[in-house]
């Protein structure tokens, strides 16, 4: 009996020793990896040389036209492996839209699909679906912006995707969120109209206007990208994917937030910073179009500069920011306005804004927009020259930061594009040319999806991938 007890105590001792050693080992490993505060060790590699923010993230890119491709292009710039699935023969419809160089993918396509790989697949064929399902199992995120219901009609319902890969994030752009318009197809300008941008853009006595900035398409793509990285972050904790929806109406409305602000302010009286207030024009019951009035609390308008008669962009945006009002008075040669009761304080100026800006314009018309910019900036007066696309394309500082980049394409040669506008100091974005249609079909089937040569032969013989061109030697 005593022997038995002895044995038991000895084995207990052994077990506790073992546990202690294991604990020490774990601590040692943690200490090796950790930074002393539980955080991972700081990289020994130089800034920008330790990979990219989204390295290792695989995206099944089922997007087309502009909104979805904007999102996946951003993710690709941050290092995600973006595999664009396109219909054999035609691919993304924009490849052939607004073509400028015969036989080459359009700028519409190339400027929205950098850093991606292209595989052609007929998703409506049996073999095509087999490949798609393998992609679903392999990738982290599926991004799509088909018309409502199209993904379900293909057989890729959320339930099916989730069953195949519970970690997959399914991200969609749709025109509208759930509600009366959820089944509608939507393009950029439809979203601008439905999201409140058009009713608040233009002059109060003119028709609604859409803006050149693609706030419906590219704006919603940006919103979606944020949803995706947030879902990826949450997945670290939950281990499961989720659905991400960015509707274009919601995205535009989010960007028009200040106009909904004004809608509510209207209930408490006229919007005094709007030019129409100074002109004595009554307000209706909805936020009016504000012309070029500033959207903030500081009155601002677009003024003519030297050369405006012939140059459509010889204008400057001028803001009469209250703290620099006295400097503005000196600059335009009206020093007495600094103390005059009609001009000295912002509320007194509000009903006289038209006349005040006319006087400032007399001054700006004597100078080029760049001279106005230089003189005002030296005095901390906020102004903005109206820059043309030509001027932006030629601006050296934008080239220097990689916001404007020159890209080489095997079929169209060199072209300009807008690079990643979001700069990360430790995740450097290189802009690589867009893929040719189906350029990476073989590579993806073999290296990413690990199909055997026999399976690949079957898939190809079925016509599911169409004809893929050989990769070009130009790069
Ligand atoms: N193989 C086979 N079929 C494919 C395919 C592939 N690889 N890729 C797409 N298709 C099919 C779809 O399954 C769909 O078929 P179905 O209608 O029979 O189900 C069809 O192609 C067309 O898709 P759809 O999205 O309806 O294209 P569209 O050109 O008619 O509409 C939009 C374009 C942009 C109006 C629409 O996609 C949409 O409203 N998208 C959501 C909002 C959006 O992103 N708009 C902005 C675009 S910049």
């Amino acid at each position: 009996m005593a022997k038995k007890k002895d044995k038991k105590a000895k084995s207990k001792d052994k077990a506790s020793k073992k546990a202690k050693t294991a604990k020490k080992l774990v601590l040692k490993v943690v200490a090796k990896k950790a930074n002393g505060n539980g955080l991972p060790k700081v990289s020994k590699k130089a800034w920008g040389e330790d990979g990219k923010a989204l390295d290792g993230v695989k995206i099944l890119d089922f997007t087309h036209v502009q909104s979805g491709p904007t999102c996946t292009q951003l993710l690709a710039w941050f290092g995600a492996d973006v595999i664009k699935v396109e219909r054999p023969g035609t691919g993304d419809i924009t490849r052939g839209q607004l073509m400028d160089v015969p036989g080459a993918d359009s700028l519409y396509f190339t400027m929205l699909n950098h850093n991606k790989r292209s595989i052609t697949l007929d998703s409506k064929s049996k073999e095509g679906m087999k490949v798609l399902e393998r992609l679903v199992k392999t990738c982290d995120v599926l991004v799509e912006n088909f018309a409502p219901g199209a993904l379900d009609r293909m057989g890729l319902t959320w339930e099916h995707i989730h069953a195949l890969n519970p970690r997959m994030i399914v991200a969609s752009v749709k025109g509208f969120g759930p509600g009366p318009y959820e089944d509608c197809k939507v393009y950029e300008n439809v979203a601008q109209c439905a999201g409140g941008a058009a009713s608040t853009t233009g002059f109060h006595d003119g028709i609604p206007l859409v803006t050149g900035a693609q706030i419906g398409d590219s704006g919603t793509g940006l919103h979606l990208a944020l949803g995706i990285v947030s879902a990826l972050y949450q997945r670290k904790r939950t281990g499961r994917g989720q659905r991400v929806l960015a509707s274009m109406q919601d995205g535009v409305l989010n960007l028009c937030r200040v106009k909904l602000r004004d809608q509510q302010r209207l209930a408490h009286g006229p919007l005094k910073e709007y030019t129409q207030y100074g002109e004595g024009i009554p307000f209706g019951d909805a936020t009016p179009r504000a012309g070029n009035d500033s959207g903030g609390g500081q009155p601002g308008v677009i003024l003519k500069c030297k050369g405006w008669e012939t140059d459509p962009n010889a204008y400057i945006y001028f803001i009469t920011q209250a703290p620099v009002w006295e400097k503005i008075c000196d600059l335009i040669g009206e020093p007495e306005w600094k103390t005059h009761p009609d001009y000295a304080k912002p509320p007194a100026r509000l009903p006289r804004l038209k006349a005040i800006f006319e006087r400032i314009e007399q001054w700006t018309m004597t100078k080029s927009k760049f001279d106005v910019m230089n003189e005002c900036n030296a005095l901390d007066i906020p102004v903005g020259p109206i820059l043309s696309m030509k001027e932006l394309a030629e601006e050296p500082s934008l080239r220097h930061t990689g916001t404007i980049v020159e890209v080489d394409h095997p079929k169209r040669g060199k072209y300009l594009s807008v690079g990643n506008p979001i700069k990360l100091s430790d995740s450097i974005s290189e802009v690589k040319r867009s893929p040719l249609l189906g350029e990476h079909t073989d590579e993806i089937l073999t290296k990413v999806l690990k199909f055997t040569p026999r399976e690949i032969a079957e898939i190809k013989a079925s016509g599911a991938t169409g004809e893929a061109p050989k990769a070009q030697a130009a790069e």
Side-chain angles (χ1 to χ4, degrees):
M1 188 77 175
K3 254 187 185 176
K4 236 183 184 178
K5 257 190 178 173
D6 230 27
K7 237 183 175 181
K8 239 185 179 177
K10 262 187 190 167
S11 79
K12 222 177 168 184
D13 245 26
K14 244 185 181 175
S16 95
K17 253 188 195 168
K18 244 185 179 177
K20 271 184 192 159
T21 330
K23 205 172 168 189
K24 265 187 197 162
L25 262 173
V26 170
L27 283 175
K28 231 179 174 178
V29 172
V30 171
K32 226 177 168 188
K33 280 193 178 160
N35 208 7
N37 54 6
L39 294 173
K41 247 179 144 183
V42 172
S43 172
K44 284 205 174 102
K45 295 193 179 157
W47 289 93
E49 283 176 21
D50 201 0
K52 300 212 164 79
L54 295 181
D55 270 352
V57 174
K58 278 198 167 39
I59 311 274
L60 194 182
D61 180 8
F62 224 166
T63 68
H64 65 159
V65 203
Q66 184 181 169
S67 64
T70 300
C71 166
T72 50
Q73 177 169 262
L74 279 167
L75 301 174
W77 279 332
F78 290 130
D81 179 6
V82 175
I83 298 169
K84 185 166 172 109
V85 176
E86 297 184 80
R87 197 200 294 255
T90 45
D92 186 325
I93 196 164
T94 59
R95 283 187 185 267
Q97 282 180 338
L98 311 176
M99 281 173 93
D100 54 336
V101 176
D105 289 328
S106 70
L107 286 169
Y108 194 2
F109 177 83
T110 55
M111 290 176 72
L112 286 162
N113 289 285
H114 293 115
N115 296 48
K116 303 180 185 178
R117 297 198 268 178
S118 165
I119 174 172
T120 42
L121 271 185
D122 177 1
S123 64
K124 286 182 176 156
S125 72
K126 199 169 142 246
E127 291 293 312
M129 187 43 77
K130 187 167 106 185
V131 178
L132 261 177
E133 289 188 342
R134 181 79 65 97
L135 273 166
V136 168
K137 287 181 187 162
T138 311
C139 292
D140 299 278
V141 188
L142 183 158
V143 192
E144 62 93 22
N145 68 310
F146 292 125
L151 201 65
D152 287 0
R153 287 196 291 278
M154 274 181 204
L156 286 178
T157 59
W158 159 253
E159 291 74 21
H160 184 48
I161 294 171
H162 192 64
L164 290 173
N165 179 359
R167 289 175 60 79
M168 173 154 265
I169 290 155
V170 180
S172 307
V173 170
K174 294 289 167 260
F176 294 91
Y181 306 119
E182 63 188 330
D183 292 331
C184 298
K185 287 188 173 184
V186 169
Y187 282 105
E188 171 69 46
N189 289 347
V190 176
Q192 288 200 24
C193 294
S199 71
T200 52
T201 305
F203 289 90
H204 65 81
D205 52 355
I207 62 162
L209 286 182
V210 293
T211 107
Q214 303 288 280
I215 56 176
D217 280 341
S218 286
T220 309
L222 261 166
H223 282 90
L224 192 72
L226 178 59
I228 290 169
V229 290
S230 302
L232 280 167
Y233 192 75
Q234 188 175 2
R235 192 182 73 172
K236 278 165 107 57
R237 198 178 70 244
T238 62
R240 59 173 186 251
Q242 59 184 301
R243 276 185 281 186
V244 181
L245 170 68
S247 102
M248 295 168 75
Q249 183 184 43
D250 294 1
V252 171
L253 182 56
N254 183 34
L255 299 176
C256 289
R257 184 171 289 262
V258 298
K259 300 298 177 180
L260 187 59
R261 173 201 69 193
D262 291 350
Q263 178 64 40
Q264 295 170 85
R265 289 174 58 225
L266 257 183
H268 303 279
L271 306 170
K272 293 185 178 165
E273 76 283 13
Y274 281 50
T275 307
Q276 82 175 68
Y277 171 71
E279 291 171 348
I281 299 165
F283 285 78
D285 61 359
T287 309
R289 293 186 265 290
N292 290 319
D293 295 339
S294 158
Q298 312 287 348
V301 294
I302 290 182
L303 301 177
K304 291 170 184 155
C305 292
K306 199 174 185 174
W308 67 274
E309 299 89 340
T310 51
D311 177 355
N313 294 305
Y315 291 86
I316 192 131
Y317 199 90
F318 200 105
I319 299 173
T320 53
Q321 194 203 11
V324 289
W325 172 245
E326 296 195 351
K327 292 181 187 171
I328 295 171
C329 297
D330 287 336
L331 195 66
I332 63 170
E334 298 288 353
E336 65 284 5
W337 280 6
K338 291 191 281 190
T339 48
H340 194 290
D342 283 352
Y343 300 98
K345 296 276 178 263
R349 293 198 288 274
L350 284 176
R352 299 173 181 81
L353 284 177
K354 192 165 182 276
I356 290 171
F357 280 120
E358 276 170 7
R359 175 64 191 92
I360 299 174
E361 192 171 55
Q362 283 172 15
W363 177 78
T364 58
M365 279 165 69
T366 63
K367 298 170 186 295
S368 78
K369 61 188 176 189
F370 296 110
D371 286 342
V372 175
M373 173 86 172
N374 290 338
E375 287 191 43
C376 287
N377 269 348
L379 299 169
D380 267 349
I381 302 168
V383 294
I386 308 304
L387 295 181
S388 69
M389 276 300 144
K390 183 173 184 296
E391 286 163 333
L392 287 164
E394 291 164 359
E395 171 57 42
S397 65
L398 294 177
R399 299 286 185 114
H400 183 69
T401 56
T403 297
I404 298 277
V405 286
E406 195 174 72
V407 186
D408 206 358
H409 187 276
K411 292 206 172 165
R412 65 164 34 257
K414 288 191 174 22
Y415 67 95
L416 285 189
S417 195
V418 183
N420 192 348
I422 305 164
K423 321 291 185 196
L424 264 58
S425 66
D426 208 8
S427 177
I428 309 302
S429 291
E430 303 142 295
V431 180
K432 296 185 188 144
R433 71 162 171 89
S434 59
L436 302 174
L437 180 60
E439 181 176 340
H440 306 97
T441 301
D442 286 349
E443 183 180 305
I444 290 160
L445 291 175
T446 320
K447 295 194 181 142
V448 181
L449 301 178
K450 314 266 190 254
F451 281 110
T452 63
R454 199 174 147 182
E455 286 171 315
I456 294 175
E458 277 170 15
I459 293 164
K460 290 200 158 179
S462 77
T465 55
E467 284 280 323
K470 296 265 173 292
Q472 301 290 308
E475 276 195 332

